[in-house]
Amino acid sequence: MEKKDIKVIARTALSLFLICAVATGILAFVNSVTDPIITANNEKAADEARLQVLPGADSFEEKEKDGTVYFIGSDENGTVGYVFTTSASGYGGNIEVMTGIGKDGTVTGISILTINETPGLGMNAKKNSFLSQFIGDTGSFSVIKNSEPGENEILAITSATITTKAVTNAVNSALEIYKTVKEG
């Protein structure tokens, strides 16, 4: 190899290294500037979701039991209920659900935090018509198809039974955690 070829290769490699170093520095700077903003926005969204699933609560206190983080919602008279975030495996991946449970064990609200299901089918789990089936009931829920749901029965979303079962399993997990918290 000639000296001229080595110089060209070295110059090209050095140029690429400098470009990559500058790009990395810029990305690190942008990340350091935007990370606190993103974190604050995520916390704000979580606070709003907690207020949505546990109406009547003015404030929330974060607690932990056996590695599970949950929130106790309170108003001026004391504890209103609890908020749990659970997940279950759906058709398109994990579905993360925030469930509000009143101090009497009644489901007060549900919010889907993370879902990646089929548009027009599984994504219907985010609709109020589906989520409202859980509200006002206590105990464990089961999924049914093609009939009128009774107490603690959830009518499956048409062509999205896996998604329906995943959301139901996540809510049932929250109810189990609630029982553990209340007993302890």
Side-chain angles (χ1 to χ4, degrees):
M1 216 181 230
E2 293 181 25
K3 275 188 170 185
K4 191 173 186 178
D5 290 341
I6 293 174
K7 284 184 179 183
V8 169
I9 292 172
R11 191 175 306 137
T12 304
L14 182 61
S15 296
L16 287 174
F17 173 77
L18 290 174
I19 290 169
C20 290
V22 169
T24 301
I26 291 170
L27 287 173
F29 172 74
V30 168
N31 184 55
S32 70
V33 169
T34 59
D35 190 46
I37 297 167
I38 292 169
T39 301
N41 286 340
N42 288 343
E43 289 174 8
K44 181 180 177 188
D47 288 342
E48 289 172 0
R50 282 190 283 278
L51 289 170
Q52 177 188 352
V53 299
L54 193 61
D58 297 331
S59 62
F60 294 92
E61 179 184 2
E62 185 175 336
K63 294 282 189 171
E64 181 183 349
K65 181 172 184 169
D66 300 329
T68 302
V69 176
Y70 63 96
F71 291 84
I72 299 175
S74 303
D75 64 6
E76 65 275 352
N77 298 321
T79 300
V80 174
Y82 304 84
V83 177
F84 303 95
T85 300
T86 54
S87 66
S89 183
Y91 184 76
N94 273 352
I95 299 174
E96 191 176 38
V97 178
M98 183 179 285
T99 305
I101 301 173
K103 62 183 179 181
D104 62 351
T106 302
V107 176
T108 59
I110 296 172
S111 178
I112 305 283
L113 301 178
T114 305
I115 187 169
N116 188 26
E117 301 296 288
T118 307
L121 297 174
M123 290 302 284
N124 288 333
K126 292 180 81 169
K127 290 186 175 180
N128 192 44
S129 59
F130 171 71
L131 296 175
S132 65
Q133 296 181 82
F134 294 94
I135 298 173
D137 285 338
T138 62
S140 184
F141 292 94
S142 61
V143 176
I144 62 165
K145 297 181 190 179
N146 305 324
S147 65
E148 191 64 32
E151 188 174 326
N152 291 3
E153 292 181 328
I154 304 301
L155 183 60
I157 299 168
T158 304
S159 299
T161 307
I162 294 171
T163 304
T164 304
K165 288 181 180 179
V167 173
T168 303
N169 289 340
V171 172
N172 285 337
S173 293
L175 288 163
E176 287 301 315
I177 297 167
Y178 164 78
K179 288 177 190 172
T180 304
V181 167
K182 286 297 281 189
E183 290 171 359

